[in-house]
Amino acid sequence: MRAVVIEAPGRINVTTVDDPKPGPREVVVEVAGAGICGTDLHIIDGDLEGTVYPIVPGHEFAGTVAAVGKAVTEFAVGDRVAVDPNVFCGECHYCKIGHGNLCERYNAIGVISSPGAAAQYCAAPVANCYLLPESVPLEHAPLIEPLSCAVHGFDLLPGRVGEHYLVYGAGTMGLMMAQLARFSGAASVSVVDLNTDRLPVAAGLGADRVAASAAELDRPEGWEVVIDCTGAVPAIEDGLTRVRKGGTFQVFGVAPEAATASFSPFRVYKDEIHIVGSMAVLHSFGRAVDLLAKRVVDPDVMISHRFGLDDYESAVDAFRKGTGRKLQVQPAA
Ligand SMILES: NC(=O)c1ccc[n+]([C@@H]2O[C@H](COP(=O)([O-])OP(=O)(O)OC[C@H]3O[C@@H](n4cnc5c(N)ncnc54)[C@H](O)[C@@H]3O)[C@@H](O)[C@H]2O)c1
Ligand SMILES: [Zn+2]
Ligand SMILES: [Zn+2]
């Protein structure tokens, strides 16, 4: 089959590799689409901890079951599935306390050591496959994985209705968070992004207010929930000052591993500010399937560009430039 192989950091090769064969409790998926995200850039650049090269990237994907392992009864050839790429060991301390996303032997298809979906075919454990409702076109389904990350982020927020939300970043993740906040009964949702070209899309998706900076939004009492979806230290430092007394700040964006940020511990104490991180997916993939079926996020707006496998490098370059929103690789195109 044709596949994108990251041979080593900085070396992308679109080539022919052996077709995957399903293990006893695996299926092989004919990939309809694979989304590109910041994690793929980290894999290509060699700055993601744990990646074993060479690796086929692609962890946000969906497709049609093309083969099933000999002990698979749940899926049949032709089923349309989305795949949760996160593979937890089930044996370590964190898995045993229900925190599989913090697994000591965390693996993820297309990220750590299992071949991913920037290829015609990709193998996945049965446990990670979710049957798609008929109303979800295959082409939209690669959005389920990033949405399941946003849903996990939401699980860690207080989730009270009638509160005011401020989201930093109007990329795919910020836009998903903003749409989830609206759906979850926020009193208002504001989105800030330095890239003002991205603001009209946020407004079109239902953000009440958009701006290049939170200072323009004139809300001196602050917001009950502030979510960073940039991973940028200046945004995080600014965002922490915008949290209302008793409110919550979520670090959802991925900052560089060595980055540090300043905040006032006095204010965190005195105003009872909650600071929470959110890492990948935990028990949230199935709910993301249902939320996409309900069109809580608008797939036609979220997926902005499509590329064939041979154009993988162009897709990566376009993503680096901040082009559009979710860029999707379609191996059959
Ligand atoms: N926690 C998780 O599980 C998880 C899952 C997926 C992605 N992420 C992370 O979420 C972040 C967002 O992902 P994305 O795909 O939307 O990225 P993106 O690059 O498309 O969007 C980030 C946006 O932040 C804006 N930005 C940068 N600095 C800013 C600042 N100081 N103030 C305001 N806006 C600023 C950029 O202009 C950009 O539009 C990334 O860091 C990504 O790695 C986290
Ligand atoms: Zn991703
Ligand atoms: Zn584990």
Side-chain angles (χ1 to χ4, degrees):
M1 67 169 180
R2 298 291 289 166
V4 174
V5 180
I6 314 295
E7 306 282 0
R11 258 181 47 222
I12 302 173
N13 191 8
V14 185
T15 182
T16 301
V17 301
D18 290 343
D19 286 3
K21 296 207 175 10
R25 290 286 292 155
E26 285 184 344
V27 307
V28 169
V29 176
E30 182 179 3
V31 179
I36 292 182
C37 88
T39 301
D40 297 303
L41 297 189
H42 291 304
I43 295 166
I44 292 164
D45 296 343
D47 55 18
L48 192 81
E49 202 190 324
T51 300
V52 180
Y53 299 89
I55 185 158
V56 177
H59 58 278
E60 305 179 356
F61 70 106
T64 307
V65 173
V68 300
K70 59 178 188 294
V72 175
T73 53
E74 298 86 342
F75 295 100
V77 170
D79 282 348
R80 300 174 333 125
V81 294
V83 178
D84 177 356
N86 300 280
V87 182
F88 310 147
C89 79
E91 297 170 1
C92 74
H93 168 75
Y94 299 101
C95 283
K96 284 183 174 165
I97 62 167
H99 265 301
N101 59 331
L102 307 180
C103 175
E104 284 170 6
R105 291 184 284 270
Y106 177 78
N107 194 359
I109 296 169
V111 178
I112 306 291
S113 65
S114 304
Q120 287 176 285
Y121 297 96
C122 181
V126 165
N128 294 57
C129 296
Y130 290 75
L131 199 61
L132 289 174
E134 266 176 31
S135 62
V136 177
L138 266 183
E139 182 190 47
H140 293 168
L143 290 173
I144 293 168
E145 196 280 341
L147 183 57
S148 73
C149 294
V151 171
H152 175 55
F154 240 81
D155 285 346
L156 301 173
L157 296 174
R160 288 185 286 264
V161 296
E163 294 197 325
H164 299 270
Y165 283 67
L166 172 61
V167 178
Y168 283 73
T172 313
M173 298 318 307
L175 294 174
M176 283 189 172
M177 280 296 193
Q179 290 168 93
L180 279 182
R182 271 200 72 85
F183 177 70
S184 308
S188 74
V189 180
S190 298
V191 176
V192 294
D193 197 309
L194 292 177
N195 178 355
T196 51
D197 290 347
R198 289 192 146 175
L199 297 177
V201 178
L205 290 170
D208 299 281
R209 303 188 69 191
V210 296
S213 154
E216 295 170 32
L217 297 172
D218 190 27
R219 197 179 153 77
E221 70 273 45
W223 286 260
E224 282 84 2
V225 179
V226 178
I227 306 170
D228 176 66
C229 293
T230 73
V233 171
I236 293 166
E237 291 182 337
D238 187 67
L240 272 160
T241 69
R242 310 282 177 189
V243 183
R244 192 173 192 168
K245 286 184 184 184
T248 301
F249 182 81
Q250 181 161 78
V251 182
F252 186 89
V254 181
E257 206 175 334
T260 55
S262 307
F263 67 97
S264 160
F266 178 78
R267 206 190 149 230
V268 170
Y269 137 75
K270 187 154 186 304
D271 294 347
E272 292 197 341
I273 308 295
H274 303 247
I275 301 176
V276 292
S278 177
M279 152 65 192
V281 179
L282 184 68
H283 312 147
S284 53
F285 203 89
R287 284 177 289 147
V289 173
D290 291 342
L291 290 166
L292 187 67
K294 210 174 155 51
R295 288 192 165 239
V296 168
V297 298
D298 184 334
D300 297 315
V301 176
M302 297 307 293
I303 303 167
S304 61
H305 294 73
R306 293 155 184 85
F307 297 84
L309 262 193
D310 288 323
D311 295 326
Y312 188 81
E313 262 187 279
S314 316
V316 169
D317 289 344
F319 182 73
R320 274 191 210 278
K321 291 192 188 110
T323 308
R325 287 157 300 285
K326 187 54 81 180
L327 279 51
Q328 194 180 102
V329 177
Q330 298 186 338

